Amino acid sequence: FIKTDDGNYFQYPFIRPNEIQASFRTYIIRKDLLDKAGLERPETLDELETALYKFKDMGIKSPLSLRMSQMASLSPLTSAFGFAGTFYHDKDGKVKYGLYEEAFGDYVKKLNQWYKDGILDKEFADEDENRRAAMVTNGENGVIDATIGGEFGNYIKSILPDSGIEYEGMKTPV
């Protein structure tokens, strides 16, 4: 526990003894759309981009829905650009801050391109949970980042069984 000087508990740590529990947040992709497009689950940024543009061509309103307000801590997709959105150690053990890295500019340019092209959710700054849940349950998005149990666990329960909407987890693109 982390306890303040005046006796208040600040944090209850979650200890993950198993490597499979090391992540609680991931990207979830529409498997039904991948199947329709004849694509495999993307593993690279280029493969993801191909899928997103195919989803747009299929009439998907928001092919990519990312939670962007916590850019420094959640860093959606930054690993594909070679940095983390917060403090991190590089391969030589040097401490770096991702938002000061040159690659951050490339990342922002890519997001801007996707936004202009209608790939990135036009309402990316609006993180209203009801809106995000509606996007999932109505089939309005192709890829969403979410917590596995809490957010997505709640969303998926609302998808009608005969809707044809099918999601599956995917790795963070490299």
Side-chain angles (χ1 to χ4, degrees), residues 7 40 45 47 58 62 65 86-87 97 100 113 134 136 138 149:
E40 297 293 320
L45 192 62
E47 291 170 351
M58 292 176 184
S62 297
S65 177
T86 187
F87 289 100
Y97 184 59
Y100 287 157
Q113 175 195 339
V136 171
N138 296 332

Side-chain angles (χ1 to χ4, degrees), residues 26-45:
T26 191
Y27 298 91
I28 299 120
I29 191 165
R30 291 271 305 272
K31 182 181 181 324
D32 58 303
L33 296 179
L34 285 174
D35 292 346
K36 190 183 288 186
L39 299 172
E40 297 293 320
R41 190 174 3 181
E43 293 193 7
T44 67
L45 192 62

Side-chain angles (χ1 to χ4, degrees), residues 140-158:
E140 296 175 351
N141 71 338
V143 176
I144 189 168
D145 72 314
T147 59
I148 308 280
E151 291 171 321
F152 201 73
N154 291 329
Y155 303 162
I156 203 161
K157 290 185 284 187
S158 299

Side-chain angles (χ1 to χ4, degrees), residues 14 16 18-27 146-149 170-172:
F14 177 62
R16 298 180 175 110
N18 186 322
E19 187 175 307
I20 200 163
Q21 296 174 323
S23 179
F24 65 95
R25 180 170 209 82
T26 191
Y27 298 91
T147 59
I148 308 280
M170 63 178 265
K171 295 178 184 176
T172 301

